[in-house]
Amino acid sequence: MNTHSFLTDLTDRILVCDGATGTQLRQRIPPYVQCLDACNVHPDYLHIVQNIHREYRRAGADILQTNTYGANAAKLKVYGLEGQVAEINRAGVKLAREVAGDELYVAGSVGPLEIDVLQEKLSSKAIRRIFKEQMDALVAEGVDVLLLETFTDLAQTEISTEQALTYGLPVVVQISGISGGKLGGGIDVRVFAREIEELGAHVIGMN
């Protein structure tokens, strides 16, 4: 699959994405395993990740998302895994690609850094560097699409979108936390979406 076929397919038909990989994993692995992204490289759990991909394929998904939603250095640092960003992300792509083959699209899942939760103050350059490290690995391993999901902070969304657009791949941006037409920070969802559209994101949606 490639960039051109994905963007063409978007205009020709409805593409069905898979469901929540993290939710499925949480139900299938021991509760003491905290880092779901690290399951990509754990010999006891990587087959579970791949089985989830297989089930979504059998259910009719056109797009498989990699199990890399939280596989950035800021989040992995909590588990002492910040040095394994490339390994975990590339493994996530391999697991999905083995199931997808050439028939389905593989979307590289990228989640927000959740800096408030981590109680870290990062500059815009530092945030972009963190996203770049993850995206570099996803792209190097051959994703068809970059999927930025569950973003609620406009500044962080802009930084990640700008970085994602440098690879020449389709970029899907999903925003979250919407209530009464506004995001948690009080920004009107229409303003938020317009900003991302003007940056050049190919698809904008809500998660």
Side-chain angles (χ1 to χ4, degrees), residues 38-51 53 95:
C39 290
N40 295 342
V41 295
H42 195 294
D44 293 338
Y45 308 124
L46 59 86
H47 72 282
I48 298 177
V49 175
Q50 200 159 56
N51 283 341
H53 291 320
L95 292 174

Side-chain angles (χ1 to χ4, degrees), residues 125-188:
K125 287 185 178 180
I127 292 172
R128 181 155 185 161
R129 186 165 57 247
I130 292 170
F131 281 125
K132 182 179 185 300
E133 181 183 22
Q134 180 182 12
M135 293 181 193
D136 281 354
L138 293 170
V139 173
E141 201 55 48
V143 295
D144 303 303
V145 182
L146 284 171
L147 173 61
L148 316 184
E149 53 177 328
T150 322
F151 277 73
T152 59
D153 176 76
L154 180 56
Q156 203 176 128
T157 311
E158 289 177 337
I159 293 169
S160 59
T161 301
E162 288 172 349
Q163 179 58 42
L165 288 167
T166 66
Y167 301 100
L169 293 175
V171 175
V172 178
V173 181
Q174 296 178 348
I175 55 181
S176 185
I178 300 167
S179 178
K182 297 183 182 298
L183 282 91
I187 299 176
D188 189 294

Side-chain angles (χ1 to χ4, degrees), residues 46-71:
L46 59 86
H47 72 282
I48 298 177
V49 175
Q50 200 159 56
N51 283 341
I52 292 170
H53 291 320
R54 290 192 184 99
E55 291 170 15
Y56 279 129
R57 174 167 184 155
R58 285 197 296 268
D62 300 301
I63 305 168
L64 299 181
Q65 300 174 79
T66 57
N67 178 45
T68 54
Y69 173 75

Side-chain angles (χ1 to χ4, degrees), residues 79-95:
Y79 310 105
L81 300 172
E82 65 271 26
Q84 294 180 251
V85 172
E87 179 187 4
I88 291 172
N89 280 278
R90 294 189 72 135
V93 179
K94 287 179 181 178
L95 292 174

Side-chain angles (χ1 to χ4, degrees), residues 7-128:
L7 295 177
T8 300
D9 271 354
L10 281 180
T11 65
D12 293 342
R13 64 189 179 99
I14 294 173
L15 294 178
V16 179
C17 200
D18 59 8
T21 303
T23 301
Q24 291 294 325
L25 268 175
R26 192 72 278 166
Q27 295 173 354
R28 305 180 193 201
I29 62 173
Y32 57 78
V33 178
Q34 296 183 318
C35 184
L36 298 180
D37 306 285
C39 290
N40 295 342
V41 295
H42 195 294
D44 293 338
Y45 308 124
L46 59 86
H47 72 282
I48 298 177
V49 175
Q50 200 159 56
N51 283 341
I52 292 170
H53 291 320
R54 290 192 184 99
E55 291 170 15
Y56 279 129
R57 174 167 184 155
R58 285 197 296 268
D62 300 301
I63 305 168
L64 299 181
Q65 300 174 79
T66 57
N67 178 45
T68 54
Y69 173 75
N72 61 69
K75 282 189 173 180
L76 291 177
K77 184 178 180 180
V78 175
Y79 310 105
L81 300 172
E82 65 271 26
Q84 294 180 251
V85 172
E87 179 187 4
I88 291 172
N89 280 278
R90 294 189 72 135
V93 179
K94 287 179 181 178
L95 292 174
R97 179 60 71 192
E98 287 175 4
V99 175
D102 294 327
E103 296 80 36
L104 307 186
Y105 294 106
V106 173
S109 174
V110 177
L113 305 189
E114 296 183 12
I115 297 171
D116 291 341
V117 175
L118 298 170
Q119 296 183 332
E120 290 190 37
K121 292 183 179 180
L122 299 175
S123 67
S124 295
K125 287 185 178 180
I127 292 172
R128 181 155 185 161

